[in-house]
Amino acid sequence: MGGYMESILKVDNLNYAYKDRIIFENLSLNIKKSEWVCICGCNGCGKSTLIKILTGIIKTDENITVCNYNLKTNLYDVRRNIGVVFSDIDNMFLCETVRDDLIYVLENLGFTTNEIDRRIDEVSKYLGIGEFLDLPASFLSGGEKSLCALGIAIVGRPRILFLDEAFSMIDNSRKIEIFKYLKKLNKEGLTIVNVTHDLSEAYFCDRVIVISNKRVVLSGKPVTVFKKDKVLKSCGIGIPFEIELSSKLMLYGLIPNLEVDIRDLVEVIWK
């Protein structure tokens, strides 16, 4: 990846408390340009809070740099360079229809009418949301809203995409297709920060970061992190079935390597 070593998001020793509860203590992150990072943790570990801090919704006095801008002093510039899908997706719909929401984003970024139409067509095609464009969000199911919210987040081609449990209401087959599209955008330079409790979403990412006890406890390539099953369980993170099965088959010498994709695992077993 071009420019892979360049940091696009940096957090130095984040400390944050809400009322009397300490959420983060000396938490540090360094995410590179064009990297796809999956931040995992059990429910209640502060994942959604972290997204709100990184996007400036929750204000802190900490040193946080996003897209080479200081978050505290250049919030406007940060927000012009990021896209976000929040776990509470209803708050992402401001206009009468989904199309109006997409247009609103692009008009605020200064795109021409022709470019607006082109970008909406592309996002609609890849996410399969064409039939929802002229409907109010209130007419859509949870999964349909999630797809449209993702469209709103990426239609302006941000430099960083933040995802907060964005796929929890989307079925697995559709999720894989979305991940393939996001991988295409990632290869074109989009940095992705996917926050989730579902470790199976880490298949497509470059690095998994595990948060527990107020700080980062694991960071590494997916296959490396998956092998730390005892640490993951102690952090309250469920290990996907295929990972557990693959680990046990390896233990008994039935397969040579840890397989993280169920299709690859089936193929190895079938041989």
Side-chain angles (χ1 to χ4, degrees), residues 129-153:
I129 59 172
E131 62 188 295
F132 311 134
L133 289 179
D134 297 309
L135 297 175
S138 58
F139 283 28
L140 307 179
S141 69
E144 290 163 354
K145 284 182 187 176
S146 296
L147 291 171
C148 293
L150 180 58
I152 293 167

Side-chain angles (χ1 to χ4, degrees), residues 20-75:
D20 294 329
R21 184 187 169 211
I22 297 173
I23 310 295
F24 300 120
E25 192 170 52
N26 297 321
L27 182 143
S28 295
L29 293 172
N30 190 354
I31 294 173
K32 307 298 183 183
K33 181 183 176 183
S34 302
E35 192 176 16
W36 184 335
V37 173
C38 193
I39 300 179
C40 295
C42 66
N43 290 330
C45 77
K47 299 187 302 297
S48 291
T49 300
L50 181 60
I51 288 290
K52 288 175 181 175
I53 289 172
L54 296 178
T55 54
I57 292 172
I58 293 177
K59 306 290 193 296
T60 73
D61 290 326
E62 304 295 338
N63 184 23
I64 300 173
T65 305
V66 182
C67 299
N68 298 320
Y69 295 106
N70 183 285
L71 184 62
K72 186 179 176 184
T73 57
N74 299 89
L75 182 57

Side-chain angles (χ1 to χ4, degrees), residues 52-248:
K52 288 175 181 175
I53 289 172
L54 296 178
T55 54
I57 292 172
I58 293 177
K59 306 290 193 296
T60 73
D61 290 326
E62 304 295 338
N63 184 23
I64 300 173
T65 305
V66 182
C67 299
N68 298 320
Y69 295 106
N70 183 285
L71 184 62
K72 186 179 176 184
T73 57
N74 299 89
L75 182 57
Y76 174 78
D77 293 305
V78 168
R79 287 186 174 165
R80 284 182 65 83
N81 283 278
I82 65 174
V84 192
V85 179
F86 294 106
S87 54
D88 186 1
I89 53 175
D90 285 327
N91 290 333
M92 294 195 60
F93 299 96
L94 306 173
C95 303
E96 189 173 335
T97 67
V98 173
R99 187 188 301 275
D100 291 336
D101 276 306
L102 293 165
I103 292 171
Y104 177 77
V105 171
L106 294 169
E107 283 184 341
N108 278 312
L109 291 172
F111 289 105
T112 65
T113 301
N114 286 341
E115 183 66 9
I116 287 172
D117 291 340
R118 191 189 71 75
R119 284 180 179 248
I120 290 175
D121 285 345
E122 179 188 328
V123 165
S124 301
K125 171 187 161 191
Y126 279 105
L127 296 181
I129 59 172
E131 62 188 295
F132 311 134
L133 289 179
D134 297 309
L135 297 175
S138 58
F139 283 28
L140 307 179
S141 69
E144 290 163 354
K145 284 182 187 176
S146 296
L147 291 171
C148 293
L150 180 58
I152 293 167
I154 64 176
V155 72
R157 285 297 181 97
R159 292 173 65 191
I160 303 181
L161 174 64
F162 292 99
L163 303 167
D164 183 9
E165 302 285 3
F167 307 106
S168 59
M169 289 185 282
I170 299 175
D171 65 75
N172 283 336
S173 59
R174 177 63 69 89
K175 193 186 294 188
I176 289 170
E177 292 305 311
I178 292 168
F179 282 168
K180 287 178 180 177
Y181 177 49
L182 290 179
K183 196 65 179 177
K184 171 183 176 291
L185 298 181
N186 175 238
K187 287 179 178 178
E188 293 171 1
L190 175 66
T191 303
I192 301 173
V193 180
N194 181 24
V195 169
T196 180
H197 70 280
D198 184 358
L199 209 57
S200 68
E201 291 183 12
Y203 291 153
F204 284 79
C205 79
D206 301 307
R207 182 160 57 108
V208 180
I209 295 172
V210 177
I211 293 177
S212 184
N213 296 321
K214 311 175 188 68
R215 58 173 62 88
V216 173
V217 295
L218 277 178
S219 178
K221 292 183 177 180
V223 75
T224 303
V225 171
F226 290 157
K227 290 177 181 177
K228 307 283 187 181
D229 55 330
K230 290 181 180 176
V231 177
L232 293 172
K233 286 180 180 178
S234 72
C235 295
I237 300 175
I239 301 173
F241 165 76
E242 52 269 39
I243 303 301
E244 273 207 292
L245 177 58
S246 185
S247 298
K248 288 175 181 175

